[in-house]
């Protein structure tokens, strides 16, 4: 740990909190953050030379595993032609076509650089298209650090127990209605009171930033219907779930599935993580008539110097090309295998818990077996104090988990039998640590 400790001390003298994204600081689990220097397949290695089985996967992009040879080769080829041009490249349309083939709800696509930029643009576009101002979001859903969407947000905001963010004006938050997730009545009431002023409802396709929360059956379909009835847009954030939970994301797994019993289609979708294959890239897409409101042919302005960066496009094309049905079957199977083993070990240790799932994404919530987790209040009410000892036990056994109980666990196509066995071997001691944990 000597090297990571020294690196952390240096980083704290140069950057706020020593990090460039808050959850990396280990604030909710304690201890010294690991400084990673290498990632291969299912493993990451820190600056002290310790190798861990990785269940973070760069927070989602590493669907194929780290440093997949096809992705590296594609990026190396792109590098040979230059890093960035500030002009259009053929690879942008290549990736857009792959996305549209996977997600038919996307008629047109705009590439951007981050998930935050994608959701920010989607909200601006919805307001411009409808000529309305109000946005409905759900408590615990995280849509990046967009001012108007930080109220009662998940992810790092939940991890740090913040109500929102300083620097966000009252005028901005006044244009956002924050409702309980999975609450149909609350949405109906909001539309009854504010319908003509509501530009859009934005939600994660399946929330994965307050821990994973499964949408109640029919909830997304209801949101699609109610927005249509009131002339608002339905924005589905698939930054986490897009191209990870299924080839067509969570929409493709549920509302857009050919055998869906309750089909639903969003007006706009946002993507990130997997779409860039590990290099910063994101996108928003959806109905052509809405997307055509974007400049240069529409009145809603958005631009980005590095949008459609050729290295990110190459990585995205290579990743989605290699993400075959076999990859998704493997990740699904490993996810079920691990979540079942986790639940079994916690049960043997007498730890009350529930496992929350959305496709291959899952998380554990301590002290919630009676009713599970269906919204932000449920997530916040769990026994969070058990996660720190659990996390550090797994870390000491060579397994790198998300350093927050409010994050999903990520597996990859590279998690083979050897990687899984190492995780399984670490679970009993970690379950005991969780059982022995005491409230602070």
């Amino acid at each position: 740990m000597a090297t990571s400790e020294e690196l952390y001390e240096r980083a704290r003298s140069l950057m706020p909190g020593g990090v460039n994204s808050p959850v990396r600081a280990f604030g909710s689990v304690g201890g010294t953050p690991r400084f990673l220097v290498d990632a291969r397949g299912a493993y990451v290695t820190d600056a002290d030379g310790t190798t861990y089985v990785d269940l973070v996967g760069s927070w989602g992009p590493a669907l194929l595993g780290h440093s997949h040879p096809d992705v590296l080769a594609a990026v190396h080829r792109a590098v040979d032609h230059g890093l960035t041009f500030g002009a259009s490249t053929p690879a942008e349309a290549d990736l857009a076509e792959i996305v549209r083939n996977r997600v038919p709800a996307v008629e047109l696509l705009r590439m951007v650089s981050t998930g935050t930029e994608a959701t920010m643009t989607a909200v601006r576009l919805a307001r411009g298209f409808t000529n309305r101002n109000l946005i409905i979001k759900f408590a615990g859903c995280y849509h990046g650090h967009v001012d108007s969407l930080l109220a009662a947000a998940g992810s790092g905001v939940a991890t740090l127990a913040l109500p929102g963010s300083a620097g966000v004006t009252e005028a901005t938050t006044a244009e956002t209605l924050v409702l309980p997730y999975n609450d149909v009545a609350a949405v109906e009431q909001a539309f009854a009171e504010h319908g003509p002023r509501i530009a859009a409802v934005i939600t994660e396709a399946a929330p994965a930033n307050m821990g994973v929360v499964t949408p109640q059956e029919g909830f997304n379909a209801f949101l699609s219907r109610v927005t249509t009835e009131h002339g608002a847009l339905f924005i589905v954030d698939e930054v986490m779930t897009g191209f990870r939970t299924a080839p067509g994301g969570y929409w493709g797994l549920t509302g857009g599935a050919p055998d869906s019993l309750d089909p639903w289609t969003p007006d706009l979708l946002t993507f990130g993580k997997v779409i860039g294959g590990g290099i910063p890239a994101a996108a928003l897409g959806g109905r052509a008539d809405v997307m055509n409101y974007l400049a240069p042919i529409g009145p809603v302005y958005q631009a980005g110097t590095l949008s459609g960066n050729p290295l990110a496009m190459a990585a995205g094309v290579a990743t989605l090309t290699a993400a075959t049905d076999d990859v998704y079957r493997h990740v699904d199977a490993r996810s079920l295998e691990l979540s079942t083993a986790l639940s079994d070990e916690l049960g043997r240790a007498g730890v009350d818990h529930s496992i929350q799932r959305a496709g291959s994404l899952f998380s554990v919530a301590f002290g919630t077996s009676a009713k599970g987790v269906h919204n932000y209040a449920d997530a916040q009410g769990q026994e969070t104090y058990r996660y720190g000892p659990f996390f550090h036990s797994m870390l000491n056994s060579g397994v790198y988990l998300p350093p927050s109980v409010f994050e999903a666990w990520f597996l990859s196509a590279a998690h083979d039998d050897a990687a899984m066995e190492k995780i399984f071997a670490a679970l009993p001691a970690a379950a005991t640590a969780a059982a022995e944990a005491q409230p602070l």
Side-chain angles (χ1 to χ4, degrees), residues 76-417:
H76 289 161
R77 287 193 298 271
V79 165
D80 288 341
H81 295 284
L83 301 180
T84 180
F85 306 135
S88 297
T89 70
E92 296 170 66
D94 292 341
L95 184 53
E97 186 172 21
I98 292 173
V99 171
R100 191 164 68 175
N101 288 339
R102 282 171 166 250
V103 188
V106 173
E107 296 175 350
L108 292 175
L109 193 74
R110 170 63 59 89
M111 300 295 179
V112 294
S113 296
T114 68
T116 291
E117 189 181 353
T119 56
M120 176 185 71
T121 305
V123 167
R124 181 184 303 159
L125 178 57
R127 286 175 167 147
F129 183 80
T130 62
N131 198 29
R132 301 173 178 181
N133 292 335
L134 285 182
I135 301 293
I136 290 177
K137 68 150 289 190
F138 296 100
C141 285
Y142 179 69
H143 304 291
H145 56 95
V146 183
D147 279 8
S148 62
L149 302 179
L150 272 177
S155 194
V157 177
T159 300
L160 298 173
L162 298 174
S165 175
V168 178
T169 67
E170 291 182 6
T172 298
T173 56
E175 293 182 338
T176 305
L177 303 177
V178 183
L179 305 181
Y181 187 70
N182 272 327
D183 191 331
V184 168
V187 177
E188 290 177 332
Q189 182 178 350
F191 272 100
E193 295 179 5
H194 306 285
R197 299 171 56 218
I198 296 171
V201 172
I202 184 169
T203 183
E204 292 181 71
N209 286 286
M210 49 177 150
V212 175
V213 176
T214 309
Q216 289 182 354
E217 186 174 351
F219 186 64
N220 282 332
F222 159 73
L223 294 178
S224 181
R225 289 193 302 271
V226 74
T227 48
T228 299
E229 290 168 5
H230 289 270
L233 298 186
F234 182 31
I235 305 171
V236 171
D237 182 341
E238 292 242 33
V239 168
M240 292 280 278
T241 54
F243 315 120
R244 172 160 276 280
T245 53
Y250 199 75
W251 174 74
L253 189 67
T254 54
D259 58 351
S260 175
L261 298 178
D262 200 0
W264 52 276
T265 301
D267 300 297
L268 293 172
L269 300 98
T270 61
F271 305 103
K273 313 289 187 185
V274 175
I275 197 174
I279 297 180
L284 67 148
R287 284 169 38 190
D289 61 327
V290 179
M291 291 297 294
N292 278 329
Y293 257 63
L294 285 173
I297 58 176
V300 177
Y301 191 74
Q302 180 276 332
T305 299
L306 295 177
S307 295
N309 174 268
L311 306 189
M313 298 300 97
V317 168
T319 296
L320 292 184
T321 300
T324 62
D325 289 343
D326 286 343
V327 164
Y328 289 103
R329 279 192 287 269
H330 177 90
V331 175
D332 286 347
R334 290 306 197 195
S335 174
L336 181 59
E337 196 178 353
L338 176 53
S339 59
T340 300
L342 169 62
S343 186
D344 288 347
E345 290 298 342
L346 289 173
R348 274 191 276 272
V351 180
D352 184 272
H353 69 283
S354 64
I355 302 294
Q356 310 297 130
R357 308 177 193 274
S360 63
L361 294 176
F362 71 89
S363 62
V364 60
F366 296 107
T368 60
S369 67
K371 65 173 186 176
V373 176
H374 304 287
N375 53 46
Y376 197 30
D378 292 342
Q380 290 179 307
Q382 67 179 290
E383 296 171 349
T384 56
Y385 64 88
R386 297 192 186 278
Y387 190 73
F390 179 87
F391 169 87
H392 280 287
S393 178
M394 294 293 284
L395 193 66
N396 292 337
S397 296
V399 180
Y400 190 77
L401 294 179
S404 167
V405 73
F406 295 107
E407 302 287 357
W409 296 25
F410 298 92
L411 287 115
S412 77
H415 281 76
D416 57 13
D417 289 345

